Amino acid sequence: MGGQAVKLVLERVGHAFLGRAVLEDFDLALTDGEVVALIGPSGCGKTTILQIAAGLLDPLRGRVRRHYRRHAVVFQEPRLLPWLAARDNIAYGLRMNGIARDLRAAMVAQRAQDVGLSAHDLDKYPAELSGGMRQRVAVARALAVRPDMVYFDEPFTAVDVGLKRILQDLVIEAAAREQFSALFVTHDLSEAVRVAHRLVLLPRRADGTIVERAIAGEPGRRSERAIFALVEAWSADPAFRELFDGRESLH
Ligand SMILES: Nc1ncnc2c1ncn2[C@@H]1O[C@H](COP(=O)(O)OP(=O)(O)OP(=O)(O)O)[C@@H](O)[C@H]1O
Ligand SMILES: [Mg+2]
């Protein structure tokens, strides 16, 4: 983890949709270089928090302080522009930021290499890429702008199991190398334990208890055995029960 400078603070954030409370008095702080996994059952408010943190949604109550220069977002679907080749999708944000063509090409090549895309892949249009390749392009596009904060909203949920690990490793390596902070939303406990320094577990209902756990070791340096053991232990932990108990307790 990097220094202790705070990059993002959510203070007593509250939100409701159509009069139904989704969040109440939610607090969160991310330090420089810290990756926090936000985990919880479907519909508990993970995406809502991410959108509030990123400034895509104004909370009804509370405040958000951002102490970072630039953020990027990686969503569950790649959200690529279908009329642009992979290289131009990756370059899109750079172009918007007025980066010159030559430099742009060099930056795209570097990012493509980081995420394991070949020069040949870069000439393809989104429709010609596999789902996993599209998500690689989405990660490369996010990292291309050199963000110091990255928001991930279940980025690998739709990707098949083998590729998921590769993409998780890409994110872990990029975060360590570039020292960006990240809020990583997932409902997969093993993914959370693999990629993050710390875990925040949201309850199903806004008035439930939030559980916070530090994850021993550094992402990328934990052994498979340690990850497996932690997932096993937390799966059996009553505090994590809501994560696994289906939708029966919805009401
Ligand atoms: N624009 C909206 N209008 C009305 N209700 C909404 C809106 N967005 C989210 N909600 C509701 O707010 C709650 C939290 O939604 P949110 O998308 O944050 O959940 P989530 O934890 O990200 O779920 P998932 O794991 O399924 O993505 C849900 O009950 C959802 O139906
Ligand atoms: Mg969501």
Side-chain angles (χ1 to χ4, degrees), residues 70-122:
R70 194 179 301 125
H71 75 233
V73 190
V74 183
F75 299 95
Q76 184 170 342
E77 347 66 71
R79 302 196 185 189
L80 305 178
L81 297 172
W83 59 87
L84 292 180
R87 78 169 71 253
D88 297 318
N89 266 287
I90 298 172
Y92 191 77
L94 299 172
R95 221 168 106 189
M96 294 291 113
N97 282 307
I99 311 268
R101 181 190 284 261
D102 287 359
L103 184 56
R104 226 157 60 204
M107 290 167 95
V108 168
Q110 180 61 54
R111 291 311 175 181
Q113 195 188 331
D114 291 345
V115 302
L117 288 168
S118 69
H120 180 60
D121 297 330
L122 289 178

Short mmCIF file of all heavy atoms in Angstrom, two decimals, residues 70-122:
data_model
loop_
_atom_site.label_atom_id
_atom_site.label_comp_id
_atom_site.label_asym_id
_atom_site.label_seq_id
_atom_site.Cartn_x
_atom_site.Cartn_y
_atom_site.Cartn_z
N ARG A 70 -7.60 12.24 -11.21
CA ARG A 70 -8.36 11.73 -12.33
C ARG A 70 -8.81 10.32 -12.04
O ARG A 70 -8.02 9.51 -11.56
CB ARG A 70 -7.45 11.71 -13.56
CG ARG A 70 -8.17 11.53 -14.87
CD ARG A 70 -7.21 11.54 -16.04
NE ARG A 70 -6.45 12.75 -16.16
CZ ARG A 70 -5.11 12.79 -16.20
NH1 ARG A 70 -4.41 11.70 -16.13
NH2 ARG A 70 -4.49 13.94 -16.32
N HIS A 71 -10.06 10.02 -12.31
CA HIS A 71 -10.50 8.65 -12.12
C HIS A 71 -10.90 8.01 -13.45
O HIS A 71 -11.09 8.69 -14.45
CB HIS A 71 -11.63 8.56 -11.09
CG HIS A 71 -12.97 9.03 -11.58
ND1 HIS A 71 -13.71 9.98 -10.92
CD2 HIS A 71 -13.72 8.67 -12.66
CE1 HIS A 71 -14.85 10.17 -11.57
NE2 HIS A 71 -14.87 9.40 -12.62
N ALA A 72 -10.99 6.68 -13.41
CA ALA A 72 -11.51 5.92 -14.55
C ALA A 72 -12.47 4.89 -13.99
O ALA A 72 -12.41 4.55 -12.81
CB ALA A 72 -10.36 5.23 -15.28
N VAL A 73 -13.38 4.43 -14.84
CA VAL A 73 -14.38 3.46 -14.40
C VAL A 73 -14.36 2.25 -15.34
O VAL A 73 -14.29 2.42 -16.56
CB VAL A 73 -15.81 4.07 -14.40
CG1 VAL A 73 -16.79 3.13 -13.71
CG2 VAL A 73 -15.84 5.44 -13.73
N VAL A 74 -14.41 1.06 -14.76
CA VAL A 74 -14.56 -0.16 -15.55
C VAL A 74 -15.86 -0.81 -15.12
O VAL A 74 -16.03 -1.15 -13.94
CB VAL A 74 -13.38 -1.14 -15.35
CG1 VAL A 74 -13.55 -2.36 -16.27
CG2 VAL A 74 -12.04 -0.46 -15.63
N PHE A 75 -16.79 -0.96 -16.05
CA PHE A 75 -18.10 -1.51 -15.74
C PHE A 75 -18.14 -3.01 -16.04
O PHE A 75 -17.21 -3.57 -16.62
CB PHE A 75 -19.17 -0.81 -16.58
CG PHE A 75 -19.26 0.68 -16.33
CD1 PHE A 75 -18.57 1.57 -17.15
CD2 PHE A 75 -20.01 1.18 -15.28
CE1 PHE A 75 -18.65 2.95 -16.93
CE2 PHE A 75 -20.08 2.55 -15.04
CZ PHE A 75 -19.41 3.43 -15.86
N GLN A 76 -19.27 -3.62 -15.68
CA GLN A 76 -19.43 -5.05 -15.92
C GLN A 76 -19.41 -5.36 -17.42
O GLN A 76 -18.83 -6.33 -17.86
CB GLN A 76 -20.74 -5.54 -15.30
CG GLN A 76 -20.93 -7.03 -15.44
CD GLN A 76 -22.09 -7.54 -14.62
OE1 GLN A 76 -22.55 -6.87 -13.70
NE2 GLN A 76 -22.56 -8.72 -14.93
N GLU A 77 -20.07 -4.50 -18.21
CA GLU A 77 -20.02 -4.64 -19.68
C GLU A 77 -18.92 -3.69 -20.17
O GLU A 77 -18.72 -2.63 -19.59
CB GLU A 77 -21.33 -4.28 -20.38
CG GLU A 77 -22.59 -4.13 -19.59
CD GLU A 77 -22.57 -2.96 -18.62
OE1 GLU A 77 -22.63 -1.83 -19.08
OE2 GLU A 77 -22.49 -3.20 -17.42
N PRO A 78 -18.24 -4.06 -21.25
CA PRO A 78 -17.09 -3.24 -21.65
C PRO A 78 -17.44 -1.81 -22.10
O PRO A 78 -16.63 -0.92 -21.98
CB PRO A 78 -16.48 -4.02 -22.82
CG PRO A 78 -17.22 -5.29 -22.94
CD PRO A 78 -18.38 -5.30 -22.00
N ARG A 79 -18.67 -1.61 -22.61
CA ARG A 79 -19.08 -0.27 -23.09
C ARG A 79 -18.10 0.35 -24.07
O ARG A 79 -17.71 1.52 -23.93
CB ARG A 79 -19.28 0.69 -21.90
CG ARG A 79 -20.30 0.19 -20.90
CD ARG A 79 -20.74 1.28 -19.98
NE ARG A 79 -21.63 0.74 -18.95
CZ ARG A 79 -22.32 1.47 -18.09
NH1 ARG A 79 -22.21 2.78 -18.12
NH2 ARG A 79 -23.11 0.90 -17.20
N LEU A 80 -17.71 -0.45 -25.06
CA LEU A 80 -16.82 0.08 -26.10
C LEU A 80 -17.65 0.74 -27.20
O LEU A 80 -18.82 0.44 -27.36
CB LEU A 80 -15.99 -1.06 -26.71
CG LEU A 80 -15.19 -1.89 -25.72
CD1 LEU A 80 -14.46 -3.01 -26.43
CD2 LEU A 80 -14.22 -1.01 -24.94
N LEU A 81 -17.01 1.64 -27.93
CA LEU A 81 -17.69 2.27 -29.07
C LEU A 81 -17.56 1.31 -30.25
O LEU A 81 -16.44 1.02 -30.70
CB LEU A 81 -17.04 3.62 -29.39
CG LEU A 81 -17.17 4.64 -28.24
CD1 LEU A 81 -16.35 5.89 -28.53
CD2 LEU A 81 -18.63 5.00 -27.99
N PRO A 82 -18.69 0.80 -30.77
CA PRO A 82 -18.63 -0.26 -31.77
C PRO A 82 -18.01 0.16 -33.09
O PRO A 82 -17.53 -0.67 -33.85
CB PRO A 82 -20.11 -0.66 -31.96
CG PRO A 82 -20.92 0.43 -31.37
CD PRO A 82 -20.07 1.13 -30.36
N TRP A 83 -18.03 1.47 -33.37
CA TRP A 83 -17.51 1.94 -34.66
C TRP A 83 -16.01 2.26 -34.61
O TRP A 83 -15.43 2.70 -35.60
CB TRP A 83 -18.29 3.16 -35.14
CG TRP A 83 -18.26 4.31 -34.18
CD1 TRP A 83 -17.31 5.30 -34.12
CD2 TRP A 83 -19.20 4.59 -33.14
NE1 TRP A 83 -17.61 6.16 -33.10
CE2 TRP A 83 -18.76 5.76 -32.48
CE3 TRP A 83 -20.37 3.95 -32.69
CZ2 TRP A 83 -19.45 6.31 -31.40
CZ3 TRP A 83 -21.05 4.50 -31.62
CH2 TRP A 83 -20.60 5.67 -30.99
N LEU A 84 -15.38 2.03 -33.46
CA LEU A 84 -13.94 2.27 -33.36
C LEU A 84 -13.20 0.96 -33.14
O LEU A 84 -13.65 0.10 -32.38
CB LEU A 84 -13.64 3.20 -32.19
CG LEU A 84 -14.11 4.66 -32.27
CD1 LEU A 84 -13.70 5.41 -31.00
CD2 LEU A 84 -13.52 5.35 -33.50
N ALA A 85 -12.05 0.81 -33.80
CA ALA A 85 -11.19 -0.35 -33.56
C ALA A 85 -10.70 -0.31 -32.11
O ALA A 85 -10.75 0.74 -31.46
CB ALA A 85 -10.01 -0.33 -34.52
N ALA A 86 -10.23 -1.46 -31.63
CA ALA A 86 -9.78 -1.56 -30.23
C ALA A 86 -8.79 -0.44 -29.89
O ALA A 86 -8.90 0.20 -28.85
CB ALA A 86 -9.15 -2.92 -29.99
N ARG A 87 -7.83 -0.19 -30.81
CA ARG A 87 -6.80 0.83 -30.49
C ARG A 87 -7.42 2.21 -30.29
O ARG A 87 -7.00 2.97 -29.45
CB ARG A 87 -5.70 0.84 -31.54
CG ARG A 87 -6.00 1.53 -32.83
CD ARG A 87 -4.74 1.70 -33.68
NE ARG A 87 -4.27 0.44 -34.23
CZ ARG A 87 -3.18 -0.22 -33.83
NH1 ARG A 87 -2.43 0.26 -32.87
NH2 ARG A 87 -2.84 -1.35 -34.40
N ASP A 88 -8.46 2.51 -31.08
CA ASP A 88 -9.08 3.83 -30.97
C ASP A 88 -10.00 3.91 -29.76
O ASP A 88 -10.19 4.99 -29.19
CB ASP A 88 -9.83 4.16 -32.26
CG ASP A 88 -8.86 4.25 -33.43
OD1 ASP A 88 -7.78 4.84 -33.24
OD2 ASP A 88 -9.16 3.71 -34.51
N ASN A 89 -10.54 2.76 -29.36
CA ASN A 89 -11.29 2.74 -28.11
C ASN A 89 -10.36 3.03 -26.93
O ASN A 89 -10.70 3.81 -26.05
CB ASN A 89 -11.98 1.38 -27.91
CG ASN A 89 -13.41 1.37 -28.41
OD1 ASN A 89 -14.30 1.96 -27.80
ND2 ASN A 89 -13.62 0.72 -29.55
N ILE A 90 -9.19 2.40 -26.96
CA ILE A 90 -8.23 2.62 -25.85
C ILE A 90 -7.77 4.07 -25.85
O ILE A 90 -7.60 4.69 -24.80
CB ILE A 90 -7.03 1.65 -25.97
CG1 ILE A 90 -7.52 0.20 -25.86
CG2 ILE A 90 -5.98 1.95 -24.89
CD1 ILE A 90 -6.45 -0.85 -26.15
N ALA A 91 -7.59 4.62 -27.05
CA ALA A 91 -7.06 5.99 -27.17
C ALA A 91 -8.11 7.06 -26.91
O ALA A 91 -7.77 8.24 -26.79
CB ALA A 91 -6.49 6.19 -28.58
N TYR A 92 -9.36 6.66 -26.80
CA TYR A 92 -10.46 7.62 -26.78
C TYR A 92 -10.28 8.72 -25.73
O TYR A 92 -10.36 9.91 -26.03
CB TYR A 92 -11.78 6.89 -26.57
CG TYR A 92 -12.98 7.76 -26.80
CD1 TYR A 92 -13.38 8.07 -28.09
CD2 TYR A 92 -13.69 8.29 -25.73
CE1 TYR A 92 -14.47 8.90 -28.31
CE2 TYR A 92 -14.79 9.12 -25.94
CZ TYR A 92 -15.17 9.41 -27.24
OH TYR A 92 -16.24 10.23 -27.46
N GLY A 93 -10.01 8.31 -24.49
CA GLY A 93 -9.86 9.28 -23.41
C GLY A 93 -8.64 10.17 -23.62
O GLY A 93 -8.65 11.35 -23.27
N LEU A 94 -7.59 9.61 -24.22
CA LEU A 94 -6.37 10.38 -24.47
C LEU A 94 -6.65 11.47 -25.50
O LEU A 94 -6.19 12.60 -25.38
CB LEU A 94 -5.26 9.46 -25.00
CG LEU A 94 -4.84 8.34 -24.05
CD1 LEU A 94 -3.89 7.39 -24.76
CD2 LEU A 94 -4.19 8.93 -22.81
N ARG A 95 -7.44 11.10 -26.51
CA ARG A 95 -7.80 12.06 -27.54
C ARG A 95 -8.63 13.19 -26.94
O ARG A 95 -8.40 14.37 -27.22
CB ARG A 95 -8.62 11.33 -28.61
CG ARG A 95 -8.23 11.77 -29.99
CD ARG A 95 -8.83 10.83 -31.00
NE ARG A 95 -9.94 11.47 -31.67
CZ ARG A 95 -10.75 10.83 -32.49
NH1 ARG A 95 -10.60 9.53 -32.68
NH2 ARG A 95 -11.71 11.47 -33.08
N MET A 96 -9.56 12.80 -26.07
CA MET A 96 -10.40 13.81 -25.40
C MET A 96 -9.53 14.76 -24.58
O MET A 96 -9.86 15.92 -24.40
CB MET A 96 -11.41 13.14 -24.47
CG MET A 96 -12.45 12.32 -25.16
SD MET A 96 -13.59 13.37 -26.09
CE MET A 96 -13.20 12.93 -27.76
N ASN A 97 -8.41 14.23 -24.06
CA ASN A 97 -7.52 15.06 -23.24
C ASN A 97 -6.48 15.81 -24.07
O ASN A 97 -5.56 16.41 -23.53
CB ASN A 97 -6.81 14.20 -22.19
CG ASN A 97 -7.73 13.87 -21.02
OD1 ASN A 97 -8.32 14.76 -20.42
ND2 ASN A 97 -7.89 12.60 -20.73
N GLY A 98 -6.62 15.73 -25.39
CA GLY A 98 -5.76 16.52 -26.27
C GLY A 98 -4.33 16.02 -26.39
O GLY A 98 -3.43 16.78 -26.72
N ILE A 99 -4.11 14.73 -26.14
CA ILE A 99 -2.76 14.16 -26.28
C ILE A 99 -2.45 13.99 -27.78
O ILE A 99 -3.29 13.48 -28.53
CB ILE A 99 -2.67 12.78 -25.58
CG1 ILE A 99 -3.23 12.86 -24.16
CG2 ILE A 99 -1.28 12.20 -25.67
CD1 ILE A 99 -2.28 13.16 -23.08
N ALA A 100 -1.26 14.38 -28.19
CA ALA A 100 -0.87 14.32 -29.61
C ALA A 100 -0.85 12.88 -30.12
O ALA A 100 -0.60 11.95 -29.36
CB ALA A 100 0.50 14.97 -29.80
N ARG A 101 -1.07 12.74 -31.41
CA ARG A 101 -1.22 11.44 -32.05
C ARG A 101 -0.07 10.46 -31.77
O ARG A 101 -0.31 9.29 -31.43
CB ARG A 101 -1.38 11.65 -33.56
CG ARG A 101 -1.58 10.38 -34.35
CD ARG A 101 -1.49 10.68 -35.83
NE ARG A 101 -2.69 11.33 -36.31
CZ ARG A 101 -3.69 10.67 -36.93
NH1 ARG A 101 -3.59 9.40 -37.16
NH2 ARG A 101 -4.75 11.32 -37.34
N ASP A 102 1.17 10.92 -31.92
CA ASP A 102 2.32 10.02 -31.74
C ASP A 102 2.40 9.48 -30.33
O ASP A 102 2.62 8.29 -30.09
CB ASP A 102 3.64 10.75 -32.03
CG ASP A 102 3.81 10.99 -33.52
OD1 ASP A 102 2.90 10.57 -34.27
OD2 ASP A 102 4.83 11.60 -33.90
N LEU A 103 2.23 10.39 -29.40
CA LEU A 103 2.30 10.01 -27.99
C LEU A 103 1.14 9.07 -27.66
O LEU A 103 1.31 8.08 -26.95
CB LEU A 103 2.22 11.27 -27.12
CG LEU A 103 2.38 11.06 -25.62
CD1 LEU A 103 3.68 10.34 -25.30
CD2 LEU A 103 2.35 12.42 -24.90
N ARG A 104 0.00 9.37 -28.24
CA ARG A 104 -1.19 8.55 -28.04
C ARG A 104 -0.91 7.12 -28.48
O ARG A 104 -1.20 6.16 -27.77
CB ARG A 104 -2.30 9.11 -28.91
CG ARG A 104 -3.61 9.24 -28.19
CD ARG A 104 -4.47 10.28 -28.87
NE ARG A 104 -4.78 10.00 -30.26
CZ ARG A 104 -5.10 10.94 -31.14
NH1 ARG A 104 -5.13 12.20 -30.78
NH2 ARG A 104 -5.39 10.61 -32.38
N ALA A 105 -0.30 6.97 -29.66
CA ALA A 105 -0.02 5.64 -30.20
C ALA A 105 0.91 4.88 -29.26
O ALA A 105 0.72 3.69 -29.00
CB ALA A 105 0.59 5.77 -31.59
N ALA A 106 1.91 5.58 -28.74
CA ALA A 106 2.86 4.93 -27.83
C ALA A 106 2.16 4.50 -26.54
O ALA A 106 2.40 3.40 -26.01
CB ALA A 106 4.02 5.88 -27.52
N MET A 107 1.28 5.36 -26.04
CA MET A 107 0.58 5.04 -24.80
C MET A 107 -0.38 3.86 -24.99
O MET A 107 -0.50 3.00 -24.13
CB MET A 107 -0.17 6.28 -24.28
CG MET A 107 0.77 7.35 -23.76
SD MET A 107 -0.06 8.94 -23.51
CE MET A 107 -0.47 8.82 -21.78
N VAL A 108 -1.04 3.84 -26.14
CA VAL A 108 -1.96 2.73 -26.44
C VAL A 108 -1.18 1.43 -26.53
O VAL A 108 -1.60 0.39 -25.98
CB VAL A 108 -2.75 3.00 -27.74
CG1 VAL A 108 -3.49 1.73 -28.19
CG2 VAL A 108 -3.74 4.14 -27.54
N ALA A 109 -0.03 1.47 -27.20
CA ALA A 109 0.78 0.26 -27.35
C ALA A 109 1.19 -0.27 -25.98
O ALA A 109 1.14 -1.48 -25.72
CB ALA A 109 2.01 0.56 -28.21
N GLN A 110 1.59 0.63 -25.10
CA GLN A 110 1.99 0.22 -23.75
C GLN A 110 0.82 -0.42 -23.00
O GLN A 110 0.96 -1.48 -22.39
CB GLN A 110 2.51 1.45 -22.98
CG GLN A 110 2.96 1.14 -21.56
CD GLN A 110 4.11 0.14 -21.53
OE1 GLN A 110 5.12 0.34 -22.17
NE2 GLN A 110 3.93 -0.97 -20.82
N ARG A 111 -0.32 0.23 -23.05
CA ARG A 111 -1.50 -0.30 -22.34
C ARG A 111 -1.95 -1.63 -22.91
O ARG A 111 -2.37 -2.52 -22.19
CB ARG A 111 -2.65 0.71 -22.41
CG ARG A 111 -2.40 1.94 -21.60
CD ARG A 111 -1.95 1.55 -20.24
NE ARG A 111 -1.57 2.71 -19.46
CZ ARG A 111 -1.11 2.63 -18.22
NH1 ARG A 111 -0.96 1.45 -17.64
NH2 ARG A 111 -0.79 3.70 -17.57
N ALA A 112 -1.88 -1.75 -24.24
CA ALA A 112 -2.27 -3.00 -24.88
C ALA A 112 -1.37 -4.13 -24.38
O ALA A 112 -1.82 -5.23 -24.05
CB ALA A 112 -2.19 -2.88 -26.39
N GLN A 113 -0.08 -3.82 -24.29
CA GLN A 113 0.87 -4.81 -23.79
C GLN A 113 0.56 -5.17 -22.33
O GLN A 113 0.55 -6.33 -21.95
CB GLN A 113 2.28 -4.25 -23.90
CG GLN A 113 3.34 -5.30 -23.74
CD GLN A 113 4.74 -4.70 -23.67
OE1 GLN A 113 5.00 -3.64 -24.24
NE2 GLN A 113 5.62 -5.36 -22.96
N ASP A 114 0.26 -4.17 -21.53
CA ASP A 114 -0.07 -4.40 -20.12
C ASP A 114 -1.23 -5.39 -19.95
O ASP A 114 -1.26 -6.16 -19.02
CB ASP A 114 -0.47 -3.09 -19.42
CG ASP A 114 0.69 -2.13 -19.27
OD1 ASP A 114 1.85 -2.56 -19.43
OD2 ASP A 114 0.44 -0.93 -18.98
N VAL A 115 -2.21 -5.29 -20.85
CA VAL A 115 -3.40 -6.14 -20.69
C VAL A 115 -3.37 -7.36 -21.61
O VAL A 115 -4.35 -8.10 -21.69
CB VAL A 115 -4.73 -5.36 -20.89
CG1 VAL A 115 -4.83 -4.20 -19.93
CG2 VAL A 115 -4.88 -4.90 -22.33
N GLY A 116 -2.24 -7.56 -22.29
CA GLY A 116 -2.10 -8.78 -23.09
C GLY A 116 -2.85 -8.77 -24.41
O GLY A 116 -3.37 -9.79 -24.84
N LEU A 117 -2.93 -7.60 -25.06
CA LEU A 117 -3.55 -7.53 -26.39
C LEU A 117 -2.44 -7.38 -27.43
O LEU A 117 -1.52 -6.58 -27.23
CB LEU A 117 -4.48 -6.32 -26.49
CG LEU A 117 -5.80 -6.37 -25.74
CD1 LEU A 117 -6.45 -4.99 -25.70
CD2 LEU A 117 -6.76 -7.38 -26.37
N SER A 118 -2.54 -8.12 -28.53
CA SER A 118 -1.52 -8.03 -29.57
C SER A 118 -1.84 -6.88 -30.53
O SER A 118 -2.97 -6.37 -30.53
CB SER A 118 -1.48 -9.34 -30.36
OG SER A 118 -2.67 -9.46 -31.11
N ALA A 119 -0.86 -6.50 -31.37
CA ALA A 119 -1.08 -5.44 -32.36
C ALA A 119 -2.22 -5.84 -33.29
O ALA A 119 -3.02 -5.00 -33.71
CB ALA A 119 0.21 -5.21 -33.15
N HIS A 120 -2.30 -7.12 -33.57
CA HIS A 120 -3.36 -7.64 -34.44
C HIS A 120 -4.74 -7.43 -33.79
O HIS A 120 -5.69 -7.02 -34.46
CB HIS A 120 -3.07 -9.13 -34.66
CG HIS A 120 -4.06 -9.82 -35.52
ND1 HIS A 120 -4.32 -9.44 -36.82
CD2 HIS A 120 -4.88 -10.87 -35.26
CE1 HIS A 120 -5.25 -10.23 -37.32
NE2 HIS A 120 -5.61 -11.10 -36.39
N ASP A 121 -4.82 -7.69 -32.49
CA ASP A 121 -6.10 -7.48 -31.78
C ASP A 121 -6.53 -6.01 -31.84
O ASP A 121 -7.71 -5.70 -31.90
CB ASP A 121 -5.98 -7.84 -30.28
CG ASP A 121 -5.66 -9.30 -30.06
OD1 ASP A 121 -6.07 -10.13 -30.90
OD2 ASP A 121 -5.02 -9.62 -29.04
N LEU A 122 -5.54 -5.12 -31.81
CA LEU A 122 -5.85 -3.69 -31.74
C LEU A 122 -6.55 -3.17 -32.99
O LEU A 122 -7.21 -2.15 -32.96
CB LEU A 122 -4.56 -2.89 -31.50
CG LEU A 122 -3.94 -3.04 -30.11
CD1 LEU A 122 -2.66 -2.23 -30.02
CD2 LEU A 122 -4.92 -2.60 -29.04
#
